[in-house]
Coordinates of all heavy atoms in Angstrom, one line a residue:
Q1 N 88.8 78.9 85.7 CA 88.9 80.2 86.3 C 90.4 80.6 86.5 O 91.1 80.0 87.3 CB 88.2 80.3 87.6 CG 88.2 81.6 88.3 CD 87.3 82.7 87.7 OE1 86.4 82.4 86.9 NE2 87.6 83.9 88.1
V2 N 90.9 81.6 85.6 CA 92.2 82.0 85.7 C 92.3 83.1 86.8 O 91.5 84.1 86.8 CB 92.8 82.5 84.4 CG1 94.2 83.1 84.5 CG2 92.7 81.4 83.3
K3 N 93.3 83.0 87.7 CA 93.4 84.0 88.7 C 94.1 85.2 88.1 O 95.2 85.1 87.5 CB 94.3 83.5 89.9 CG 94.1 84.3 91.1 CD 94.8 83.6 92.3 CE 94.8 84.5 93.5 NZ 95.8 84.2 94.5
K4 N 93.5 86.4 88.2 CA 94.0 87.6 87.6 C 94.7 88.5 88.6 O 95.6 89.3 88.3 CB 92.9 88.4 86.9 CG 92.3 87.6 85.8 CD 91.2 88.4 85.1 CE 90.4 87.6 84.1 NZ 89.4 86.7 84.6
Q5 N 94.2 88.5 89.9 CA 94.7 89.4 90.9 C 95.6 88.6 91.9 O 95.1 87.6 92.4 CB 93.5 90.0 91.7 CG 93.9 91.0 92.7 CD 93.6 92.4 92.2 OE1 93.0 92.6 91.2 NE2 94.2 93.4 92.9
C6 N 96.8 89.0 92.0 CA 97.8 88.3 92.9 C 98.3 89.4 93.9 O 99.5 89.9 93.7 CB 98.9 87.7 92.1 SG 98.4 86.3 91.1
D7 N 97.5 89.8 94.9 CA 98.0 90.8 95.8 C 99.2 90.4 96.6 O 99.4 89.2 96.9 CB 96.8 91.2 96.8 CG 95.7 91.8 96.1 OD1 95.8 92.2 94.9 OD2 94.6 91.9 96.7
Q8 N 100.1 91.4 96.8 CA 101.3 91.1 97.6 C 101.1 91.5 99.0 O 100.6 92.6 99.3 CB 102.5 91.9 97.0 CG 102.9 91.5 95.6 CD 103.5 90.1 95.6 OE1 104.3 89.8 96.5 NE2 103.1 89.3 94.6
K9 N 101.5 90.7 99.9 CA 101.4 91.0 101.4 C 102.7 91.7 101.8 O 103.8 91.1 101.6 CB 101.1 89.8 102.2 CG 99.7 89.5 102.4 CD 99.5 88.4 103.5 CE 98.1 88.3 103.9 NZ 97.2 87.5 103.6
L10 N 102.6 92.9 102.3 CA 103.8 93.6 102.8 C 103.7 93.7 104.3 O 102.6 94.0 104.8 CB 103.8 95.0 102.1 CG 103.9 95.1 100.6 CD1 103.9 96.5 100.2 CD2 105.2 94.4 100.1
L11 N 104.9 93.6 104.9 CA 104.9 93.8 106.4 C 105.7 95.1 106.6 O 106.8 95.3 106.2 CB 105.7 92.7 107.0 CG 105.2 92.2 108.4 CD1 103.7 92.0 108.4 CD2 106.0 91.0 108.8
I12 N 105.0 96.1 107.2 CA 105.6 97.4 107.4 C 106.1 97.4 108.9 O 105.3 97.1 109.8 CB 104.7 98.6 107.2 CG1 104.2 98.5 105.7 CG2 105.3 99.9 107.5 CD1 103.0 99.4 105.4
R13 N 107.3 97.7 109.1 CA 107.9 97.7 110.5 C 108.3 99.1 110.9 O 108.8 99.8 110.2 CB 109.2 96.8 110.6 CG 108.9 95.4 110.2 CD 110.3 94.7 110.0 NE 110.1 93.4 109.4 CZ 109.9 92.3 110.0 NH1 109.8 92.3 111.3 NH2 109.7 91.1 109.4
V14 N 107.9 99.4 112.2 CA 108.3 100.7 112.7 C 108.8 100.5 114.2 O 108.5 99.4 114.8 CB 107.2 101.7 112.7 CG1 106.8 102.1 111.3 CG2 106.0 101.3 113.6
K15 N 109.5 101.4 114.7 CA 110.0 101.4 116.1 C 109.4 102.6 116.8 O 109.3 103.7 116.2 CB 111.5 101.4 116.2 CG 112.1 100.1 115.7 CD 113.6 100.1 115.8 CE 114.1 98.8 115.2 NZ 115.5 98.7 115.1
T16 N 109.0 102.5 118.1 CA 108.6 103.6 118.8 C 109.7 104.5 119.2 O 110.9 104.1 119.1 CB 107.8 103.2 120.1 OG1 108.6 102.4 120.9 CG2 106.5 102.4 119.7
K17 N 109.4 105.7 119.7 CA 110.5 106.6 120.2 C 111.3 106.0 121.3 O 110.7 105.3 122.1 CB 109.8 107.9 120.6 CG 110.7 109.1 120.6 CD 109.9 110.4 120.9 CE 109.9 110.6 122.4 NZ 109.2 111.8 122.8
C18 N 112.5 106.3 121.4 CA 113.4 105.9 122.5 C 113.1 106.6 123.8 O 113.1 107.9 123.8 CB 114.9 106.0 122.1 SG 116.0 105.2 123.2
V19 N 112.7 105.9 124.8 CA 112.4 106.5 126.1 C 113.1 105.7 127.2 O 113.6 104.6 127.0 CB 110.9 106.6 126.4 CG1 110.2 107.5 125.4 CG2 110.3 105.2 126.4
P20 N 113.2 106.2 128.5 CA 113.7 105.4 129.6 C 112.9 104.1 129.7 O 111.7 104.1 129.6 CB 113.4 106.3 130.8 CG 113.3 107.7 130.3 CD 112.7 107.6 128.9
C21 N 113.6 103.0 129.9 CA 113.0 101.7 129.9 C 111.9 101.6 130.9 O 110.8 101.0 130.6 CB 114.0 100.6 130.1 SG 115.3 100.5 128.8
S22 N 112.0 102.2 132.0 CA 111.0 102.2 133.1 C 109.7 102.8 132.6 O 108.6 102.5 133.1 CB 111.5 102.8 134.4 OG 111.8 104.2 134.1
L23 N 109.7 103.7 131.6 CA 108.6 104.4 131.1 C 108.0 103.8 129.9 O 107.0 104.2 129.3 CB 108.9 105.9 130.8 CG 109.4 106.8 131.9 CD1 109.7 108.2 131.4 CD2 108.4 106.8 133.1
N24 N 108.6 102.7 129.4 CA 108.3 102.2 128.1 C 107.2 101.1 128.2 O 106.7 100.6 127.2 CB 109.5 101.6 127.4 CG 109.3 101.6 125.9 OD1 108.6 102.4 125.3 ND2 109.9 100.6 125.2
L25 N 106.8 100.7 129.4 CA 105.8 99.6 129.5 C 104.5 100.0 128.9 O 103.9 99.1 128.2 CB 105.5 99.3 131.0 CG 106.5 98.3 131.7 CD1 106.3 98.4 133.2 CD2 106.2 96.9 131.2
D26 N 104.1 101.2 129.0 CA 102.7 101.6 128.5 C 102.8 102.2 127.1 O 101.8 102.7 126.6 CB 102.1 102.6 129.4 CG 101.9 102.0 130.8 OD1 101.6 100.8 130.9 OD2 102.0 102.7 131.8
T27 N 104.0 102.2 126.5 CA 104.1 102.8 125.1 C 103.2 102.1 124.1 O 103.3 100.8 124.1 CB 105.6 102.9 124.7 OG1 106.3 103.7 125.6 CG2 105.7 103.5 123.3
Q28 N 102.5 102.8 123.3 CA 101.6 102.2 122.3 C 102.2 102.3 120.9 O 102.9 103.3 120.7 CB 100.2 102.8 122.4 CG 99.5 102.7 123.7 CD 99.2 101.2 124.0 OE1 98.7 100.4 123.2 NE2 99.5 100.8 125.2
C29 N 101.9 101.4 120.1 CA 102.3 101.5 118.7 C 101.3 102.4 118.0 O 100.2 102.7 118.5 CB 102.2 100.1 118.0 SG 103.5 99.0 118.6
P30 N 101.7 103.0 116.8 CA 100.8 103.8 116.1 C 99.5 103.1 115.7 O 99.5 101.8 115.7 CB 101.6 104.2 114.8 CG 103.0 103.9 115.1 CD 103.0 102.8 116.2
A31 N 98.5 103.8 115.5 CA 97.2 103.2 115.1 C 97.3 102.2 114.0 O 98.0 102.5 113.0 CB 96.2 104.3 114.8
G32 N 96.8 101.0 114.1 CA 96.8 100.0 113.1 C 98.0 99.1 113.1 O 98.1 98.1 112.4
Y33 N 99.0 99.4 114.0 CA 100.2 98.5 114.1 C 100.0 97.6 115.4 O 99.3 97.9 116.3 CB 101.4 99.4 114.3 CG 101.9 100.1 113.0 CD1 101.3 101.2 112.6 CD2 102.9 99.5 112.3 CE1 101.7 101.8 111.4 CE2 103.4 100.1 111.1 CZ 102.7 101.3 110.7 OH 103.2 101.8 109.5
T34 N 100.7 96.5 115.3 CA 100.7 95.5 116.4 C 102.1 95.5 117.0 O 103.1 95.4 116.4 CB 100.4 94.1 115.8 OG1 99.1 94.2 115.1 CG2 100.2 93.1 117.0
K35 N 102.1 95.5 118.4 CA 103.3 95.5 119.1 C 103.9 94.1 119.1 O 103.2 93.2 119.4 CB 103.1 96.0 120.6 CG 104.3 96.3 121.3 CD 104.0 96.6 122.8 CE 103.4 98.0 123.0 NZ 103.2 98.3 124.5
I36 N 105.1 93.9 118.7 CA 105.7 92.6 118.7 C 106.8 92.4 119.8 O 107.4 91.4 119.9 CB 106.3 92.2 117.3 CG1 107.3 93.2 116.8 CG2 105.2 92.0 116.3 CD1 108.1 92.8 115.6
T37 N 107.0 93.4 120.6 CA 108.0 93.3 121.7 C 107.1 93.4 123.0 O 106.1 93.9 123.0 CB 109.0 94.4 121.7 OG1 108.4 95.7 121.4 CG2 110.1 94.2 120.7
N38 N 107.7 92.8 124.1 CA 106.9 92.7 125.3 C 107.6 93.6 126.4 O 108.7 94.0 126.3 CB 106.9 91.3 125.8 CG 106.2 90.3 124.9 OD1 105.2 90.7 124.3 ND2 106.8 89.1 124.7
G39 N 106.8 93.8 127.5 CA 107.4 94.4 128.7 C 107.9 95.8 128.4 O 107.2 96.7 127.8
T40 N 109.2 96.0 128.6 CA 109.8 97.4 128.4 C 110.3 97.5 127.0 O 110.9 98.5 126.7 CB 110.9 97.6 129.5 OG1 111.9 96.6 129.4 CG2 110.4 97.7 130.9
G41 N 110.2 96.5 126.2 CA 110.7 96.6 124.8 C 112.1 96.2 124.7 O 112.7 95.4 125.5
T42 N 112.8 96.7 123.6 CA 114.2 96.4 123.3 C 115.1 97.5 123.8 O 114.9 98.6 123.4 CB 114.3 96.2 121.8 OG1 113.2 95.3 121.3 CG2 115.6 95.5 121.5
P43 N 116.1 97.1 124.6 CA 117.1 98.2 125.1 C 118.2 98.4 124.1 O 119.4 98.1 124.3 CB 117.6 97.5 126.4 CG 117.5 96.1 126.1 CD 116.4 95.8 125.2
D44 N 117.8 99.0 122.9 CA 118.8 99.1 121.8 C 118.9 100.5 121.3 O 119.2 100.7 120.1 CB 118.4 98.2 120.7 CG 117.1 98.6 120.0 OD1 116.4 99.4 120.6 OD2 116.8 98.1 118.9
C45 N 118.7 101.5 122.2 CA 118.7 102.9 121.7 C 119.2 103.8 122.8 O 119.4 103.4 124.0 CB 117.4 103.3 121.2 SG 116.1 103.3 122.4
R46 N 119.4 105.1 122.5 CA 119.7 106.1 123.4 C 118.8 107.3 123.3 O 118.4 107.6 122.2 CB 121.2 106.6 123.2 CG 122.2 105.4 123.4 CD 123.6 105.9 123.4 NE 124.0 106.5 124.7 CZ 124.3 105.8 125.8 NH1 124.2 104.5 125.8 NH2 124.7 106.5 126.9
Y47 N 118.5 107.9 124.4 CA 117.7 109.1 124.4 C 118.5 110.2 125.0 O 119.5 110.0 125.7 CB 116.3 108.9 125.1 CG 116.4 108.7 126.6 CD1 116.2 109.7 127.5 CD2 116.6 107.4 127.1 CE1 116.3 109.5 128.9 CE2 116.7 107.2 128.5 CZ 116.5 108.2 129.3 OH 116.6 108.0 130.7
Y48 N 118.1 111.5 124.8 CA 118.9 112.6 125.2 C 118.2 113.6 126.0 O 117.0 113.8 125.8 CB 119.5 113.3 123.9 CG 120.3 112.4 123.0 CD1 119.7 111.7 122.0 CD2 121.6 112.2 123.3 CE1 120.4 110.8 121.2 CE2 122.4 111.3 122.5 CZ 121.8 110.6 121.5 OH 122.5 109.8 120.7
L49 N 118.8 114.1 127.0 CA 118.3 115.1 127.9 C 119.2 116.4 127.8 O 120.4 116.2 128.0 CB 118.2 114.7 129.3 CG 117.1 113.7 129.8 CD1 117.2 113.4 131.3 CD2 115.7 114.3 129.4
E50 N 118.6 117.5 127.6 CA 119.3 118.7 127.5 C 119.2 119.4 128.9 O 118.1 119.7 129.4 CB 118.8 119.7 126.4 CG 119.3 119.2 125.1 CD 118.8 120.2 124.0 OE1 118.8 121.4 124.2 OE2 118.5 119.6 122.9
I51 N 120.4 119.7 129.5 CA 120.4 120.3 130.8 C 121.3 121.6 130.6 O 122.5 121.4 130.5 CB 120.9 119.4 131.9 CG1 120.0 118.2 132.0 CG2 121.0 120.2 133.2 CD1 120.5 117.1 132.9
K52 N 120.7 122.7 130.6 CA 121.4 124.0 130.4 C 122.3 123.9 129.1 O 121.8 123.9 128.0 CB 122.2 124.4 131.6 CG 121.2 124.8 132.8 CD 122.0 125.3 134.0 CE 121.0 125.6 135.0 NZ 121.5 125.8 136.3
T53 N 123.6 123.8 129.3 CA 124.5 123.9 128.2 C 124.9 122.5 127.7 O 125.7 122.3 126.8 CB 125.8 124.7 128.5 OG1 126.4 124.2 129.6 CG2 125.4 126.2 128.7
H54 N 124.5 121.5 128.4 CA 125.0 120.1 128.1 C 123.8 119.2 127.6 O 122.7 119.4 128.0 CB 125.6 119.4 129.4 CG 126.8 120.1 129.9 ND1 128.0 120.2 129.2 CD2 126.9 120.9 131.0 CE1 128.8 120.9 129.9 NE2 128.2 121.3 131.0
T55 N 124.2 118.3 126.8 CA 123.2 117.2 126.4 C 123.7 115.9 126.9 O 124.8 115.5 126.6 CB 123.1 117.2 124.8 OG1 122.7 118.5 124.4 CG2 122.0 116.2 124.4
L56 N 122.9 115.2 127.7 CA 123.3 113.9 128.3 C 122.6 112.8 127.5 O 121.4 113.0 127.1 CB 122.9 113.9 129.8 CG 123.5 115.0 130.6 CD1 122.9 114.8 132.1 CD2 125.0 114.9 130.6
S57 N 123.3 111.7 127.3 CA 122.8 110.6 126.6 C 122.6 109.4 127.5 O 123.5 109.1 128.3 CB 123.8 110.3 125.5 OG 123.5 109.0 125.0
F58 N 121.5 108.8 127.5 CA 121.2 107.6 128.4 C 120.7 106.4 127.5 O 120.0 106.6 126.5 CB 120.1 108.0 129.4 CG 120.4 109.1 130.3 CD1 120.0 110.4 130.0 CD2 121.1 108.9 131.4 CE1 120.3 111.5 130.8 CE2 121.5 109.9 132.3 CZ 121.0 111.2 132.0
P59 N 121.0 105.2 128.0 CA 120.5 104.0 127.3 C 118.9 104.0 127.5 O 118.5 104.3 128.6 CB 121.2 102.8 128.0 CG 121.7 103.4 129.3 CD 121.9 104.9 129.1
G60 N 118.2 103.6 126.5 CA 116.8 103.6 126.6 C 116.2 102.4 125.9 O 116.9 101.5 125.4
C61 N 114.9 102.3 125.9 CA 114.1 101.2 125.3 C 113.1 101.7 124.2 O 112.7 102.8 124.3 CB 113.4 100.4 126.3 SG 114.4 99.5 127.5
R62 N 112.8 100.8 123.3 CA 111.7 101.1 122.3 C 111.0 99.8 121.9 O 111.6 98.8 122.1 CB 112.3 101.9 121.1 CG 113.4 101.2 120.4 CD 114.0 102.1 119.4 NE 115.2 101.4 118.8 CZ 115.9 101.9 117.8 NH1 115.6 103.1 117.3 NH2 116.9 101.3 117.3
H63 N 109.8 100.0 121.5 CA 109.1 98.8 121.0 C 109.1 98.7 119.5 O 109.3 99.7 118.8 CB 107.6 98.9 121.5 CG 107.4 98.6 122.9 ND1 107.6 97.3 123.4 CD2 107.1 99.4 124.0 CE1 107.3 97.3 124.7 NE2 107.1 98.6 125.1
R64 N 109.0 97.5 119.0 CA 108.9 97.2 117.6 C 107.4 96.9 117.3 O 106.8 96.2 118.0 CB 109.8 96.1 117.2 CG 111.3 96.4 117.2 CD 112.1 95.5 116.4 NE 112.0 94.1 116.8 CZ 112.9 93.5 117.6 NH1 113.9 94.1 118.0 NH2 112.7 92.2 117.9
C65 N 107.0 97.5 116.2 CA 105.6 97.3 115.8 C 105.5 96.9 114.3 O 106.4 97.3 113.5 CB 104.8 98.7 115.9 SG 105.1 99.5 117.5
V66 N 104.5 96.1 113.9 CA 104.3 95.7 112.5 C 102.9 95.9 112.1 O 102.0 95.9 112.9 CB 104.7 94.2 112.3 CG1 106.2 94.0 112.5 CG2 103.9 93.3 113.1
K67 N 102.7 96.1 110.8 CA 101.4 96.2 110.2 C 101.4 95.5 108.9 O 102.4 95.6 108.1 CB 101.1 97.7 110.0 CG 99.8 98.0 109.3 CD 99.7 99.5 109.1 CE 98.4 100.0 108.6 NZ 98.3 101.4 108.4
E68 N 100.4 94.6 108.7 CA 100.3 93.9 107.4 C 99.5 94.7 106.4 O 98.5 95.3 106.8 CB 99.7 92.5 107.6 CG 100.1 91.5 106.6 CD 99.6 90.1 107.0 OE1 98.4 89.9 106.7 OE2 100.4 89.3 107.4
F69 N 100.0 94.8 105.2 CA 99.4 95.7 104.2 C 99.3 94.9 103.0 O 100.3 94.3 102.6 CB 100.3 96.9 104.1 CG 99.9 97.9 103.0 CD1 98.8 98.7 103.1 CD2 100.6 97.9 101.8 CE1 98.4 99.6 102.1 CE2 100.2 98.8 100.8 CZ 99.1 99.6 101.0
E70 N 98.2 94.9 102.3 CA 98.0 94.2 101.1 C 98.1 95.1 99.9 O 97.3 96.0 99.8 CB 96.7 93.4 101.1 CG 97.0 91.9 100.7 CD 95.8 91.0 100.9 OE1 94.8 91.2 100.2 OE2 95.9 90.1 101.8
Q71 N 99.1 94.9 99.1 CA 99.3 95.8 97.9 C 98.6 95.1 96.7 O 99.1 94.0 96.3 CB 100.7 96.1 97.7 CG 101.0 97.0 96.5 CD 102.5 97.4 96.5 OE1 103.1 97.7 97.5 NE2 103.0 97.4 95.3
P72 N 97.6 95.7 96.1 CA 97.0 95.1 94.9 C 98.0 95.0 93.8 O 98.7 95.9 93.5 CB 95.9 96.1 94.6 CG 95.8 97.0 95.7 CD 97.1 97.0 96.4
E73 N 98.0 93.8 93.2 CA 98.9 93.5 92.1 C 98.3 92.5 91.2 O 97.6 91.6 91.6 CB 100.2 93.0 92.6 CG 101.4 93.6 91.9 CD 102.7 93.3 92.6 OE1 103.3 92.3 92.3 OE2 103.2 94.1 93.4
C74 N 98.5 92.6 89.9 CA 98.0 91.7 88.9 C 98.9 90.5 88.8 O 100.1 90.6 89.0 CB 97.9 92.3 87.5 SG 96.7 93.7 87.5
C75 N 98.4 89.3 88.5 CA 99.2 88.1 88.3 C 99.9 88.3 87.0 O 99.6 89.1 86.1 CB 98.3 86.9 88.2 SG 97.4 86.5 89.7
Q76 N 101.0 87.5 86.8 CA 101.8 87.5 85.6 C 100.9 87.3 84.4 O 100.1 86.5 84.3 CB 102.9 86.4 85.7 CG 104.0 86.7 84.7 CD 105.2 85.8 84.9 OE1 105.2 85.0 85.9 NE2 106.2 85.8 84.1
G77 N 101.1 88.2 83.3 CA 100.4 88.1 82.1 C 99.1 88.9 82.1 O 98.4 89.0 81.1
H78 N 98.8 89.6 83.2 CA 97.6 90.4 83.3 C 98.1 91.8 83.7 O 99.1 92.0 84.4 CB 96.6 89.9 84.4 CG 96.0 88.6 84.0 ND1 96.7 87.4 84.3 CD2 94.9 88.2 83.4 CE1 96.0 86.4 83.8 NE2 94.8 86.9 83.3
W79 N 97.3 92.8 83.3 CA 97.6 94.2 83.6 C 96.4 95.1 83.6 O 95.3 94.6 83.2 CB 98.7 94.7 82.7 CG 98.3 94.8 81.3 CD1 97.7 95.8 80.6 CD2 98.5 93.8 80.3 NE1 97.5 95.5 79.3 CE2 98.0 94.2 79.1 CE3 99.1 92.5 80.3 CZ2 98.0 93.5 77.9 CZ3 99.1 91.8 79.1 CH2 98.6 92.3 78.0
G80 N 96.6 96.3 83.9 CA 95.5 97.3 83.9 C 94.8 97.4 85.2 O 95.1 96.6 86.1
P81 N 93.9 98.4 85.4 CA 93.3 98.6 86.7 C 92.4 97.4 87.2 O 92.3 97.2 88.4 CB 92.4 99.8 86.4 CG 92.3 100.1 84.9 CD 93.5 99.3 84.3
D82 N 91.9 96.6 86.3 CA 91.1 95.5 86.7 C 91.8 94.1 86.4 O 91.2 93.1 86.4 CB 89.7 95.5 86.1 CG 89.8 95.7 84.6 OD1 90.9 95.7 84.0 OD2 88.7 95.9 84.0
C83 N 93.1 94.2 86.0 CA 93.9 93.0 85.7 C 93.3 92.2 84.6 O 93.5 90.9 84.6 CB 94.1 92.2 86.9 SG 95.0 93.0 88.3
M84 N 92.6 92.8 83.6 CA 92.0 92.0 82.5 C 92.9 91.9 81.3 O 92.7 90.9 80.6 CB 90.7 92.7 82.1 CG 89.6 92.6 83.1 SD 89.3 90.9 83.7 CE 87.6 90.7 83.3
G85 N 93.8 92.8 81.2 CA 94.7 92.8 80.0 C 95.5 91.5 79.9 O 95.8 90.9 80.9
R86 N 95.7 91.0 78.6 CA 96.5 89.8 78.5 C 97.5 90.0 77.3 O 97.2 90.6 76.4 CB 95.6 88.6 78.1 CG 95.2 87.8 79.3 CD 94.5 86.6 78.8 NE 94.5 85.4 79.6 CZ 95.6 84.8 80.1 NH1 96.8 85.3 79.9 NH2 95.5 83.7 80.8

């Protein structure tokens, strides 16, 4: 039995929006993604507040999320929609 289908596993990474760290505890990842940071997340960003004519910048936190995705692919030497070609 020759293996014809060799799917590639892809890891898609996203970060949530930057918010005040104290508000980041309950931040959820997008549907289908798994949160890989804990607590208030990673303090590696800045968020902005507009007050009248000024924009203030504050340090904030965000969470990192991942999703595993399988991309269908044929093994070497096979091709076509059903990977039958040789």
Side-chain angles (χ1 to χ4, degrees):
Q1 178 77 16
V2 177
K3 197 172 174 201
K4 299 177 183 85
Q5 186 101 13
C6 293
D7 294 347
Q8 293 294 316
K9 270 193 170 96
L10 300 176
L11 214 53
I12 303 167
R13 299 168 192 271
V14 296
K15 290 178 181 171
T16 59
K17 205 173 91 178
C18 190
V19 296
C21 294
S22 58
L23 300 179
N24 204 34
L25 274 167
D26 298 326
T27 299
Q28 297 300 311
C29 288
Y33 284 80
T34 306
K35 194 187 284 187
I36 57 169
T37 42
N38 298 320
T40 57
T42 313
D44 66 346
C45 61
R46 297 189 77 76
Y47 66 96
Y48 301 93
L49 281 183
E50 282 183 35
I51 300 168
K52 291 184 182 165
T53 57
H54 298 292
T55 301
L56 303 178
S57 165
F58 298 97
C61 291
R62 57 190 173 177
H63 283 290
R64 288 200 302 261
C65 312
V66 294
K67 179 182 185 178
E68 206 171 78
F69 176 75
E70 232 170 65
Q71 185 172 314
E73 224 168 84
C74 297
C75 298
Q76 200 171 351
H78 294 83
W79 62 86
D82 51 7
C83 299
M84 290 308 239
R86 264 189 152 307

